[in-house]
Structure formats: C-alpha cells, structure tokens
C-alpha cells in the first residue's frame, strides 16, 4: 500500500501517517476501516487512533508478523496461538537467571510525601507539572518565536508560539473552542475556530475538542487581541522515533491487577489454577517456566469502606485477613520469581494519588512494594506501573473513550505524558513534585482498575491493561460494564511477544 493507492481510493494521507501505516502488518484492515469512516484526509493521529482501537492486535517491533491476542485456552490448545502442552517434569528456564531490575526511586512518592495541602503546595505542584512538561514541549520543531504570555501584546498581528497550562475550555455561541490558558508569566485566551477553511483546520478543530483542563500544550497562532487564533497545537507526546527495548535474557513477565482478595466475587478457583500453572503443574508449563517477574498494578484486596454498603460484597471483612490471602499466594509463587506490587484505590494506603508503597505488614517481606505510580527497569525494559484510577475521569471527558477499550485511554496518558491530567477528576495529593508526569518514555505501561483486558502499542510503548480476578459485580451489571476476569497477559521480554492465558476456560 502506498500513497498512490490511497489517491485512487480517494484518501489523502500525510507522510508520517503513511510511514506508520506501512509499518503495520494489519494495514489493509486499517485502510478498510478508514474508508468505511468516510475520511478523505488521514493524518498520524487517525492511524494511531485506529491502532489504539485495535486492542487484540499487537505488532512486536522486532517480530515481523502481527500477533492476534486470542487468549490461550489452557484446555483447548487447538484454539490457541501458542504451543500448549504439559511437561512431565518442570524445569523452569527462568530459574537459571538471577533477577535484574532497578527501581527508579526518584519517580515515586514513597517516603517523600511532604505536602500539607496549603495554597503554596498547590502552586508548587502545578508549577512542577508545567515546568517538566514544558521542557519536553520546547524540544518541538517550530520556527516561530516562543514567547511568555506577559509579552504577548508586543506581538499583535504576528505569529507566535506559547507553552501553556489549560485553565478552562469552553464553546462559544459561534461554535468555536475558547481555551483560557496560562504560563508562569500570565494568562491569555486562545480561539480554535470552527469555521476555518481547509482540512488542516478541520483536523485542528477536531483535536482541540480533546484538550483537557490542566493539559500542558504548545500552541502556535496569530495574536489578534484579545485572542491568539490557533493554527497548530501539540501535546508533549512520545517521540515517533521511540523504540521499545527488549531483554537479553530469555525470560517473561506476568501482568496482574485487581485481584480483590476478600471480595465475594473473587474467583478463587481460577486463581488457584493460575498458581498451579506458575508452579508448572498445568498446561502450557513451557510458558510458565520462563516467568521471572510478576507485576501487580493495584487493587490487591477489596478493602473495607471503599464504597457504600461494600460489606455486603465482602467474604472477608478484615483488611489484614484479606492481605493474609495475598501473602499465602506469594508463598506459593516459586522463589526464583520476582514480584512487584503497587497499590490501587482498594488498597490500604491513602486514597489520593500518588500513593506510597504498601507496608510490609500487609504485603510481607518477599515482594518489592512500590508506589503508585512507579518506574522500574527490568532486564533493561523500562516499566511504569500505574493503577489507572484516572481512566474513569478521562472516559467521562474524552470523546471516543470507553470502558471497552482501556488501552485507548492509556494512549491519552502517553500523548499528554501525564497519568492524571484533570486535577480533581480523582483524588490527587499536591506534592511538590508531580509524580504523575511521564518524564521518560516507558517501554511498557501497565495499568488495571477497569477490570477489562486491553493491549496496544503506541509509538514503541507497549500498553497493557491486565484485567482482573473478580467476577462481574452487581454494580457492574447495573452499569452495563462487562469485565474480562481470569485473562492473564504474559510478555516474553526478549521477543516482545504478548500472550493472554485464559484460566477461566480451564
Ligand atoms: Fe479493581
Ligand atoms: Fe481500582
């Protein structure tokens, strides 16, 4: 597929979009979907949106073929995308390797929370977010003068570039988008015009519809007092050149979240099958034998008093006893496997993010207990673990985001280089450092919270939402939310290949 083919189909495509499209094995399918959507001009964001909306398809950057993420049914190998077989004797290859990981302590809040919630703390928090994201945005290509808002009146009738934090987004009577924004020197209003000519303007207006309050963005436009008329804008985003790193050792990682020990909906029978599998007792023990790392991104237990009348949904009403079940699980994990845990909104730490690590009195001595979010480099592969609480507020605010595709929301994290853009959308503690900023590009971003598996790759970062081991609750039935319990993503860190194992079909 090349640009002339597109012309024949009546679609114009930008060069960046074409290059990304040509790198995809599933490009024919993407083109079909674009044709069906009636688009006549396709840019990079369109292609990225299409990829993000294809959660069951991962292109591994060093593997030429796309990989269907059909779950591996542990009792029906013929339907699987991998060889599934039991072995008489379990010889775990991962045991031969010593663990190789480094926790980036500067990227998490554990032991460093100093905020008192004063006005000064809020100012310091937002300033820190702005300065760190602005530093990334300054690297963007532009020939326009980058100016501080305090000086804007010196540039009337000229084109300028500003880096701002969004304070308010409104629609005017004429249907334009009016953004009130500020930098460290002042504030100003920016107009995204609805009635502008040309496809570029249509695209600009469509993208501007996804600008969020508290976003840090770069805007280029003409100063026509009292407004800047926007001609372009960008989020800090992941560079298109970013490439995912892979491990040298032949080891794999299992990604878990939302186990919810203590809940009456916890699917203990299937969880036990998972533990058996880890111990090499089940089918697919060849995959189990390569598991060297387990990541658990929060909601380890169901907790107590998390929502009204929760006690009716608990089988264990003592939070310490809930964590006892977790420690029992840890004891059964083969000792050569390294375990990383961060808390979620159901766990026994403060509710506001960033959350410090769970204490050893809860999770025991063996696991590596980290903050939420946290960054760690495992076998050379940079992982960011974040529970994903802010997925709720992004779904409520952004068009085209839903609980069916959590990975699409996670792409928004990467675009904004921030894990919880809308301040107050979920509880946030204003620390002097904004730990939700994604200063470096992760190779793997691992979330949970929405109890729905979802995967994609965005600009070289693998995004994993690891689902749950909790059955569908009455609340989820009322909400029409259908979780995907007992599906476990397993990533081969050397090849990048991602599989999903289905323990419910066992
Ligand atoms: Fe959960
Ligand atoms: Fe959660």
């Amino acid at each position: 597929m090349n640009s002339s083919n597109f012309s024949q189909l009546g679609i114009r495509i930008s060069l960046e979009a074409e290059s990304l499209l040509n790198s995809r094995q599933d490009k024919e399918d993407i083109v079909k979907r674009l044709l069906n959507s009636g688009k006549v001009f396709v840019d990079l964001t369109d292609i990225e949106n299409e990829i993000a909306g294809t959660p069951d398809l991962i292109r591994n950057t060093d593997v030429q073929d796309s990989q269907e993420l059909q779950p591996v049914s542990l009792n029906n190998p013929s339907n699987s995308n991998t060889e599934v077989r039991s072995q008489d004797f379990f010889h775990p290859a991962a045991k031969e390797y010593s663990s190789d990981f480094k926790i980036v302590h500067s990227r998490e809040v554990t032991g460093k929370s100093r905020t008192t919630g004063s006005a000064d703390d809020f100012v310091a928090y937002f300033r820190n977010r702005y300065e760190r994201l602005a530093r990334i945005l300054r690297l963007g290509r532009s020939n326009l003068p980058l100016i501080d808002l305090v000086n804007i009146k010196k540039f009337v009738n000229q084109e300028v570039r500003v880096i701002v934090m969004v304070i308010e987004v409104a629609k005017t009577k004429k249907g334009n988008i009016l953004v009130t924004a500020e930098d460290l020197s002042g504030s100003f209003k920016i107009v995204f015009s609805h009635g502008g000519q040309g496809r570029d303007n249509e695209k600009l207006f469509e993208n501007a519809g996804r600008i969020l309050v508290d976003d840090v963005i770069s805007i280029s436009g003409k100063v026509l007092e009292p407004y800047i008329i926007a001609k372009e804008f960008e989020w800090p985003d992941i560079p298109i050149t970013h490439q995912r790193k892979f491990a040298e050792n032949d080891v794999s990682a299992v990604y878990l979240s939302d186990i919810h020990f203590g809940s009456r909906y916890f699917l203990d029978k299937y969880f036990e099958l998972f533990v058996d599998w880890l111990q090499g007792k089940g089918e697919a023990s060849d995959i189990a034998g390569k598991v060297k790392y387990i990541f658990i991104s929060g909601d380890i237990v169901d907790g107590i008093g998390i929502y009204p009348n929760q006690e009716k949904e608990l089988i264990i009403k003592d939070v310490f006893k809930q964590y006892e079940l977790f420690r029992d699980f840890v004891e059964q994990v083969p000792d050569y496997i390294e375990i990383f845990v961060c808390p979620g909104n159901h766990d026994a730490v403060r509710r506001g993010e960033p959350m410090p690590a769970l204490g050893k009195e809860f999770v025991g001595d063996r696991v590596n207990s980290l903050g939420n979010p946290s960054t760690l480099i495992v076998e050379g592969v940079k992982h960011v673990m974040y529970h994903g609480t802010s997925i709720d507020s992004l779904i409520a605010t952004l068009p085209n985001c839903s609980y069916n595709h959590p990975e699409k929301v996670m792409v928004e994290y990467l675009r904004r280089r921030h894990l919880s853009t809308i301040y107050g959308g979920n509880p946030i503690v204003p620390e002097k450092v904004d730990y939700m900023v994604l200063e470096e590009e992760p190779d793997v971003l691992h979330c949970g919270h929405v109890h729905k598996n979802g995967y994609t790759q965005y600009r070289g970062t693998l995004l994993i939402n690891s689902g749950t081991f909790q059955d569908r609750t009455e609340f989820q039935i009322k909400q029409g939310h259908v979780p995907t319990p007992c599906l476990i993503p397993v990533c081969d860190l050397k090849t990048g290949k991602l599989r999903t194992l289905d323990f419910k079909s066992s």
Side-chain angles (χ1 to χ4, degrees), residues 59-123:
R59 178 181 158 74
N60 300 307
T61 49
D62 65 342
V63 177
Q64 288 309 303
D65 55 330
S66 300
Q67 184 199 349
E68 291 271 345
L69 283 182
Q70 291 303 319
V72 176
S73 166
L74 293 182
N75 67 353
N76 188 6
S78 61
N79 279 343
S80 70
N81 62 348
T82 185
E83 188 183 353
V84 178
R85 61 192 160 87
S86 59
Q87 293 179 346
D88 293 338
F89 301 101
F90 186 52
H91 297 295
K95 200 173 178 177
E96 307 304 317
Y97 297 102
S98 43
S99 51
D100 170 11
F101 69 93
K102 186 172 155 259
I103 295 160
V104 185
H105 292 287
S106 60
R107 292 279 176 258
E108 63 149 316
V109 72
T110 307
K112 289 177 288 206
S113 180
R114 300 282 179 270
T115 187
T116 58
S118 68
D120 284 351
D121 286 332
F122 280 90
V123 172

Side-chain angles (χ1 to χ4, degrees), residues 187-202:
S187 67
F188 211 68
K189 289 188 189 301
I190 298 118
V191 174
F192 290 84
S193 169
H194 179 49
Q197 295 295 307
R199 305 260 173 248
D200 289 351
N201 196 75
E202 269 176 36

